């Protein structure tokens, strides 16, 4: 899929208060520091659209990026970082679950897992949650550039046991970009064909929290 314009389209840090749904959305979920924002930038060939950071747990809101007039990428706040405040940790679940749970235009969820860690309890919980909503998911194994061939094979084999398609990915080298796009394209096509107009309840159309200066 060729995207020519990608623009920041809003943020949300309050459960249930999201930008009005317009196009099919693809969400990027995963542990803090796993490489969600880097993957989004790499997929779009943009260096700094989604903010990346060496400090895990920085992003605690959902960020929406409009891609042409076709689809929207949603960078979800990362989970599992022990050093964020108690209140930030408590806020994460209702925020992300309300998005994944009610968003009518959600076409699929890319779950990023650090290839060196593999899936842990949080990933399994997330997969269960998506399964109950019957949402398609793709596992993306990030930072494969950090492993040698033998380590990589072992890690990918372990990840394949989850039972979902797995794409080895490197935001640094660009590996996996085409494979992730292929899946996204299928999701968007299926969602577009399903053709239900976006449901706009009073909450979903409510005023957006002001977009932060970026
Ligand atoms: P939060 O927003 O805190 O949840 O993190 P995130 O998942 O968005 O991670 P981010 O993209 O900010 O990347 C975290 C760190 O990992 C940064 O220092 C990136 O440069 C690095 N990184 C991300 N992807 C890769 C990759 O594929 N290979 C390597 N070597 N480093 C990566
Ligand atoms: Mg991020």
């Amino acid at each position: 899929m060729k995207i020519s314009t990608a623009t920041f389209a809003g943020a949300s840090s309050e459960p249930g208060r999201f930008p009005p749904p317009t196009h099919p959305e693809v969400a990027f979920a995963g542990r803090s520091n796993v490489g969600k924002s880097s993957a989004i930038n790499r997929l779009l060939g943009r260096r700094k659209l989604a903010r990346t950071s060496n400090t895990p747990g920085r992003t605690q809101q959902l960020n929406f990026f409009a891609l042409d007039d076709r689809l929207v990428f949603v960078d979800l706040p990362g989970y599992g970082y022990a050093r964020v405040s108690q209140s930030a940790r408590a806020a994460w679940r209702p925020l992300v679950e309300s998005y994944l749970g009610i968003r009518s235009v959600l076409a699929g969820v890319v779950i990023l897992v650090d290839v060196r860690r593999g899936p842990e309890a949080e990933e399994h919980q997330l997969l269960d949650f998506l399964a109950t909503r019957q949402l398609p998911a793709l596992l993306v194994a990030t930072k494969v550039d950090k492993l040698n061939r033998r380590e990589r094979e072992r890690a990918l084999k372990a990840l394949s046991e989850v039972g979902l398609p797995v794409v080895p990915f490197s935001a640094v080298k660009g590996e996996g970009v085409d494979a992730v796009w292929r899946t996204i394209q299928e999701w968007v096509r299926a969602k577009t064909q399903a053709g239900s107009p976006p449901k706009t309840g009073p909450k979903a159309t409510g005023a957006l929290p002001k977009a932060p200066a970026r």
Side-chain angles (χ1 to χ4, degrees):
M1 191 179 285
K2 190 106 182 66
I3 299 294
S4 43
T5 57
T7 49
F8 179 67
S12 165
S13 52
E14 232 182 286
R17 288 172 80 87
F18 306 120
T22 52
H23 299 288
E25 290 179 358
V26 173
F28 292 75
R31 194 168 289 282
S32 188
N33 210 42
V34 69
K36 296 176 294 297
S37 305
S38 303
I40 289 176
N41 289 335
R42 186 75 204 207
L43 288 168
L44 297 172
R46 295 276 297 262
R47 285 184 55 206
K48 290 188 180 164
L49 182 69
R51 270 204 200 150
T52 63
S53 167
N54 286 318
T55 314
R58 225 356 125 54
T59 315
Q60 287 166 14
Q61 59 188 13
L62 290 84
N63 289 314
F64 293 75
F65 300 99
L67 312 182
D68 292 340
D69 243 348
R70 300 169 75 177
L71 77 157
V72 172
F73 276 2
V74 185
D75 192 1
L76 299 180
Y79 50 78
Y81 185 57
R83 274 164 62 190
V84 299
S85 68
Q86 277 285 342
S87 61
R89 238 177 304 157
W92 181 88
R93 186 176 288 273
L95 179 61
V96 171
E97 284 191 355
S98 80
Y99 174 78
L100 296 175
I102 65 170
R103 191 66 166 172
S104 60
V105 284
L106 185 56
V109 181
V110 177
I111 302 175
L112 297 96
V113 179
D114 188 318
V115 72
R116 298 164 299 175
R117 291 182 76 138
E120 295 173 74
E122 289 92 338
E123 281 77 27
H124 289 294
Q125 279 170 21
L126 183 57
L127 286 165
D128 290 346
F129 186 86
L130 297 178
T132 61
R133 265 213 73 194
Q134 297 184 309
L135 278 167
L138 174 71
L139 269 189
V140 165
T142 63
K143 308 192 186 183
V144 290
D145 54 279
K146 292 193 181 232
L147 296 186
N148 67 32
R149 185 130 57 106
R150 212 162 50 102
E151 294 166 332
R152 171 194 166 112
E153 274 167 21
R154 194 183 309 143
L156 291 175
K157 185 159 178 280
L159 262 173
S160 70
E161 279 156 23
V162 173
L164 276 185
V166 181
V167 175
F169 191 88
S170 167
V172 173
K173 300 268 169 76
E175 178 177 352
V177 165
D178 292 347
V180 174
W181 266 121
R182 273 196 294 277
T183 298
I184 289 174
Q185 227 160 335
E186 280 167 27
W187 290 348
V188 170
R189 198 176 304 129
K191 191 73 186 170
T192 309
Q193 279 167 3
S196 57
K199 290 191 187 73
T200 51
K203 271 189 168 174
T205 52
L208 250 190
K210 257 209 160 83
R214 294 173 65 88

